[in-house]
Amino acid sequence: MEQNVFFLPHEGLRLAELAEFLGAELVNSDHADVIVRSVAPISRARAGDICYILSRRSRDELATCEASVVICDKALADLVPQHLPVMLSSNPHAAFAMAGGLFYPTALRPVVFSGESEIAPSAVIDPSAKLEKGAIVEPMAVIGAHAEIGEGTRIGAHSVIGPNVKIGRDCSIAAGASVLCALLGNGVIIHNGVRIGQDGFGYAPGPRGMIKIVQIGRVIIQDNVEIGANTTIDRGAMDDTVIGEGTKIDNQVQIGHNVQIGRHCAIVAQVGIAGSAKIGNGVQIGGQVGIKGHVTIGDGVQIAAQSGIMTDLAAGGQYGGTPARPLNDYLRDVAQLMSKTRVRGKKPGGEKND
């Protein structure tokens, strides 16, 4: 890949310093003074790069790897060619992520594009709004009456912060986002185009058509939540929509009114969660999953991509399919269906067997 002008390499760090930062072990102290500046995949890692491996399937790529260090678990250290420095970690994936954040801190959250260090002259801020020292407001942003913005928080260009919204400290609200009827904790990251706090989808059928139900709740977003680009989170109808501490939400996710999501969940792109669903702590939801309203998903549940959740799911389970069922049952059903298809003389893609 050509030189990346968007994220320039770090000025450099000794492997001994990096190992200390990561809480990892540098196998050979002779490599302590090797300088590393960037991260890269094994397939194209060069001098100055860090890469990592998680399984023995990386053996072939390691043969041509030229990285300045390979991070791996002790059980995989024998795979690494002798000429490559090795750093041992019990969690190589997390260690690699920490190294990436160390070398490229500006890539971790939306940055200030305009160069503003305080309040842009073109920003529109109601006189009753309260901004703590160190808050940054970029050009053409709008902040409504009685809104409160914490120290170190950055409000992106053309974003809208509604009346009475409260945003904590060290948050990033990217360009073009809107935050209405919401309370945000500290360290929250809102990416471009996110919509928070608009009214939820609620109607009562009547003799003359659909009658709109008022949505007078709030959105509560706890500390260190990250919300991906163009995701939408509706405010509650009469209760609150809640996103728990540390939860990470991908791009283009729809979260309906009154949904409650627990702490440290991971929700992948294009998931749709209907109103009043309750999701526990540590839940992982694959891409394009649809979740019916008013269901409860227990702590630690893992849901395969493109599944349809129609009923409550017990804590700790793995589920897949539509309607979702225990993952092993779903995989067995798929295998049986494919087997029956072959018996009828057709390949899984619909073509006839020879």
Side-chain angles (χ1 to χ4, degrees):
M1 186 175 69
E2 296 181 1
Q3 176 61 54
N4 189 339
V5 297
F6 302 107
F7 301 104
L8 299 178
H10 191 271
E11 61 185 10
L13 196 67
R14 296 170 57 247
L15 282 184
E17 297 172 299
L18 179 63
E20 182 178 1
F21 175 79
L22 300 178
E25 176 189 352
L26 185 61
V27 172
N28 188 341
S29 60
D30 290 344
H31 298 139
D33 292 328
V34 171
I35 300 297
V36 286
R37 296 182 174 84
S38 186
V39 293
I42 304 172
S43 59
R44 59 174 181 79
R46 299 291 182 262
D49 291 337
I50 305 165
C51 64
Y52 74 109
I53 60 173
L54 294 177
S55 74
R56 294 186 175 274
R57 288 178 293 182
S58 302
R59 183 191 300 272
D60 292 342
E61 291 181 314
L62 281 169
T64 58
C65 181
E66 300 176 10
S68 289
V69 67
V70 177
I71 304 174
C72 67
D73 185 89
K74 185 177 182 179
L76 299 177
D78 63 315
L79 292 181
V80 182
Q82 293 186 353
H83 69 282
L84 295 179
V86 177
M87 193 175 291
L88 301 180
S89 171
S90 59
N91 191 338
H93 194 184
F96 183 78
M98 290 173 62
L102 177 65
F103 289 138
Y104 297 98
T106 61
L108 292 176
R109 60 173 60 216
V111 298
V112 176
F113 299 115
S114 64
E116 297 290 345
S117 58
E118 295 183 358
I119 310 299
S122 60
V124 179
I125 302 175
D126 188 276
S128 64
K130 297 179 181 179
L131 278 65
E132 289 188 342
K133 182 179 180 180
I136 298 172
V137 183
E138 293 197 75
M140 305 303 291
V142 177
I143 299 178
H146 305 291
E148 297 181 14
I149 311 295
E151 179 181 1
T153 288
R154 292 166 283 184
I155 308 298
H158 291 272
S159 56
V160 176
I161 309 301
N164 298 300
V165 166
K166 292 179 173 56
I167 299 176
R169 295 174 176 170
D170 298 315
C171 297
S172 294
I173 312 299
S178 60
V179 182
L180 313 172
C181 304
L183 307 177
L184 278 59
N186 299 321
V188 174
I189 299 174
I190 306 294
H191 286 274
N192 303 75
V194 167
R195 301 288 180 247
I196 294 173
Q198 58 283 337
D199 60 344
F201 189 78
Y203 294 87
R208 295 187 179 181
M210 305 296 285
I211 303 171
K212 188 163 185 173
I213 298 172
V214 295
Q215 309 284 305
I216 57 174
R218 307 172 298 179
V219 176
I220 310 296
I221 298 177
Q222 298 179 358
D223 293 350
N224 301 315
V225 167
E226 183 163 0
I227 300 171
N230 295 324
T231 282
T232 58
I233 302 176
D234 296 339
R235 67 177 182 263
M238 285 163 279
D239 295 318
D240 294 327
T241 302
V242 179
I243 312 297
E245 176 186 4
T247 284
K248 312 301 181 185
I249 301 172
D250 198 359
N251 302 335
Q252 296 183 326
V253 171
Q254 158 63 11
I255 298 173
H257 58 198
N258 299 345
V259 168
Q260 296 182 19
I261 298 175
R263 295 160 37 233
H264 305 296
C265 296
I267 302 175
V268 184
Q270 298 182 351
V271 166
I273 305 176
S276 299
K278 295 183 179 180
I279 297 171
N281 300 320
V283 173
Q284 299 180 21
I285 304 175
Q288 296 185 334
V289 166
I291 299 177
K292 179 179 177 290
H294 299 273
V295 301
T296 297
I297 296 173
D299 293 347
V301 164
Q302 297 178 330
I303 304 174
Q306 294 190 327
S307 297
I309 313 304
M310 309 299 291
T311 59
D312 296 349
L313 301 181
Q318 295 180 312
Y319 301 88
T322 301
R325 50 221 186 259
L327 188 60
N328 288 339
D329 293 349
Y330 166 62
L331 295 175
R332 183 169 56 249
D333 292 345
V334 171
Q336 290 175 349
L337 179 61
M338 294 176 68
S339 176
K340 290 178 180 179
T341 302
R342 292 191 184 97
V343 169
R344 291 171 181 166
K346 292 184 178 181
K347 297 179 180 179
E351 299 176 1
K352 292 184 178 180
N353 289 323
D354 296 332

